[in-house]
Amino acid sequence: MAGGKTRKEKLQKGAAAASKIHFQGGLPFHKSKGQHILKNPLLIDSIIQKSGIKPTDVILEIGPGTGNLTKKLLEVGKSVVAVELDPRMVLELQRRFQGTSSSTRLKVIQGDVLKCDLPYFDICVANIPYQISSPLTFKLLSHRPLFRCAVIMFQREFAMRLVAQPGDSLYCRLSVNTQLLARVNHLLKVGRNNFRPPPKVDSSVVRIEPRKPLPPVNFKEWDGLVRICFNRKNKTLGSIFRQKSVLSILEKNYKTLQALQLSHEGLSDDTEMAMCVTALGDTLGDLSMETDEGKDDNEMEMDDGDTKASDFKDRVIGVLKQGGFEEKRSSKLAQADFMHLLSLFNVAGIHFS
């Protein structure tokens, strides 16, 4: 009886696991790999229409799956470069378009889009695995030469953080860094039932247009400032910059730069700039949002016992007062505010990288 019961339990577990794998034409999809295939042809047509694809465009598609979106892209663009990690999907794409008039205009790259070198493209149109949303966004924005735009399907909450404005509850470091580099617009909301298998959350299509030229800012400096400001985005900047840990880091940078007499100027080399842009996405989890919840409100502020430390603290707070930032909160600051604040700190000899 015990052996029979164990066998029955194994069969039940096997059936449950099989129920989580979805099929299309005999090809299984795996949710764990972010494989959610667009099945609504009207939605695909809408994405194509909103992408503004030109007949001369080279189109980058990421995670093409079985090629439902790929087919429509080939109808409107010059060619499609499709990057697909799953070798089964690569084979399915090749079979689907083999012998068609589109076959010569489709190039399939098998590999991890986050690790492979991307070729030239004019526009990116993609329904991506949601777990790579943040690193992929910044990899695209670091690509050179810059593309015209990207129209991408994201998990809805991630998408709304991309487009969030100062004062919105979802406004965070992801919002600020992305909007520094690009204009971001929400195009349409997509229900989960438009996919096979359906994901657990709704999605949104977002349009990302890289800024040309890029703003005249040192991206390492920018990211250092924004990281500190959004560590507790609902605290006043005066409170944040009085923290002992923050002052310690800034004073260390200040002393090092004074000793080395280094100048912090804008980056000129395209390769180094691209690396810095990519770094803006580091540790930005796909659904990370800076909040004050769960953080210790009793974190120590710098006391005035050490005269030198107190002098540096006065310098930092003086910068905040000079720009009228001491009582302001990161959650309410716009791009221009952060740029102004960074400029004031740098003029005072205070740097963030």
Side-chain angles (χ1 to χ4, degrees):
M1 286 295 291
K5 185 176 181 180
T6 302
R7 183 181 179 186
K8 184 177 180 181
E9 288 176 350
K10 287 182 178 180
L11 288 173
Q12 289 175 340
K13 289 181 180 179
S19 68
K20 295 181 180 179
I21 302 177
H22 295 250
F23 294 83
Q24 177 172 316
L27 190 67
F29 297 141
H30 299 283
K31 286 185 177 182
S32 60
K33 296 180 180 179
Q35 293 177 344
H36 300 279
I37 309 301
L38 276 173
K39 67 176 184 178
N40 185 341
L42 294 178
L43 176 59
I44 293 174
D45 288 341
S46 180
I47 292 173
I48 296 293
Q49 186 270 326
K50 291 179 180 295
S51 298
I53 299 170
K54 300 176 182 178
T56 55
D57 280 344
V58 176
I59 307 166
L60 174 69
E61 185 184 10
I62 300 160
T66 56
N68 292 344
L69 180 58
T70 313
K71 180 176 181 295
K72 292 292 184 178
L73 293 174
L74 286 166
E75 292 176 3
V76 294
K78 178 182 178 181
S79 61
V80 173
V81 178
V83 183
E84 175 58 62
L85 179 63
D86 191 336
R88 302 169 308 132
M89 298 296 178
V90 171
L91 184 59
E92 180 69 17
L93 274 177
Q94 292 171 339
R95 286 174 177 171
R96 180 168 185 172
F97 295 101
Q98 185 176 17
T100 68
S101 58
S102 303
S103 61
T104 58
R105 296 186 293 112
L106 173 63
K107 178 182 179 180
V108 182
I109 300 174
Q110 182 181 336
D112 185 341
V113 69
L114 298 179
K115 296 178 181 178
C116 68
D117 293 328
L118 298 177
Y120 171 87
F121 63 95
D122 298 295
I123 183 171
C124 173
V125 182
N127 169 34
I128 67 168
Y130 293 157
Q131 59 264 35
I132 65 169
S133 295
S134 181
L136 176 61
T137 298
F138 287 94
K139 173 160 186 171
L140 290 176
L141 289 172
S142 70
H143 183 73
R144 298 295 181 270
L146 286 171
F147 52 95
R148 187 171 75 252
C149 77
V151 176
I152 302 178
M153 182 88 70
F154 291 114
Q155 181 176 336
R156 179 162 175 78
E157 189 173 353
F158 181 87
M160 299 315 293
R161 290 178 183 177
L162 285 179
V163 303
Q165 297 298 306
D168 293 347
S169 62
L170 293 179
Y171 188 61
C172 59
R173 189 163 69 91
L174 174 66
S175 319
V176 174
N177 282 343
T178 305
Q179 293 170 33
L180 173 73
L181 304 171
R183 285 176 287 274
V184 190
N185 301 104
H186 182 270
L187 296 182
L188 62 122
K189 182 179 178 180
V190 181
R192 63 196 74 182
N193 292 328
N194 289 286
F195 301 88
R196 181 185 296 114
K200 294 181 179 179
V201 295
D202 289 333
S203 306
S204 281
V205 179
V206 171
R207 181 183 182 90
I208 301 173
E209 296 181 47
R211 296 188 186 277
K212 301 176 186 178
L214 287 172
V217 62
N218 184 309
F219 294 119
K220 290 181 180 179
E221 285 278 298
W222 171 274
D223 191 45
L225 170 65
V226 173
R227 282 175 187 266
I228 290 174
C229 290
F230 277 93
N231 184 44
R232 292 186 171 188
K233 72 172 187 176
N234 291 316
K235 295 287 186 182
T236 65
L237 292 180
S239 174
I240 291 173
F241 281 92
R242 282 185 173 88
Q243 292 174 13
K244 189 172 183 178
S245 57
V246 172
L247 287 168
S248 176
I249 293 171
L250 294 182
E251 187 172 17
K252 183 179 179 181
N253 289 348
Y254 179 74
K255 290 179 178 178
T256 301
L257 289 170
Q258 276 197 323
L260 298 176
Q261 294 183 340
L262 293 179
S263 62
H264 278 240
E265 298 178 354
L267 299 171
S268 57
D269 182 76
D270 283 346
T271 302
E272 187 177 0
M273 181 179 288
M275 292 175 64
C276 291
V277 170
T278 304
L280 292 181
D282 291 349
T283 71
L284 277 175
D286 284 348
L287 289 178
S288 67
M289 181 171 66
E290 298 80 354
T291 67
D292 298 326
E293 294 179 4
K295 295 190 176 181
D296 184 7
D297 286 332
N298 295 318
E299 183 171 338
M300 291 179 60
E301 292 187 0
M302 180 73 76
D303 59 39
D304 296 330
D306 187 328
T307 303
K308 291 183 178 179
S310 178
D311 289 345
F312 184 76
K313 174 184 174 182
D314 290 343
R315 177 183 288 264
V316 171
I317 301 304
V319 170
L320 296 177
K321 290 180 177 179
Q322 178 187 351
F325 288 103
E326 186 180 14
E327 297 302 319
K328 292 186 178 180
R329 291 168 169 76
S330 304
S331 59
K332 303 292 177 64
L333 296 184
Q335 295 283 329
D337 296 321
F338 285 111
M339 286 190 178
H340 184 206
L341 180 57
L342 179 59
S343 175
L344 291 176
F345 272 124
N346 288 172
V347 168
I350 300 169
H351 295 274
F352 295 85
S353 65

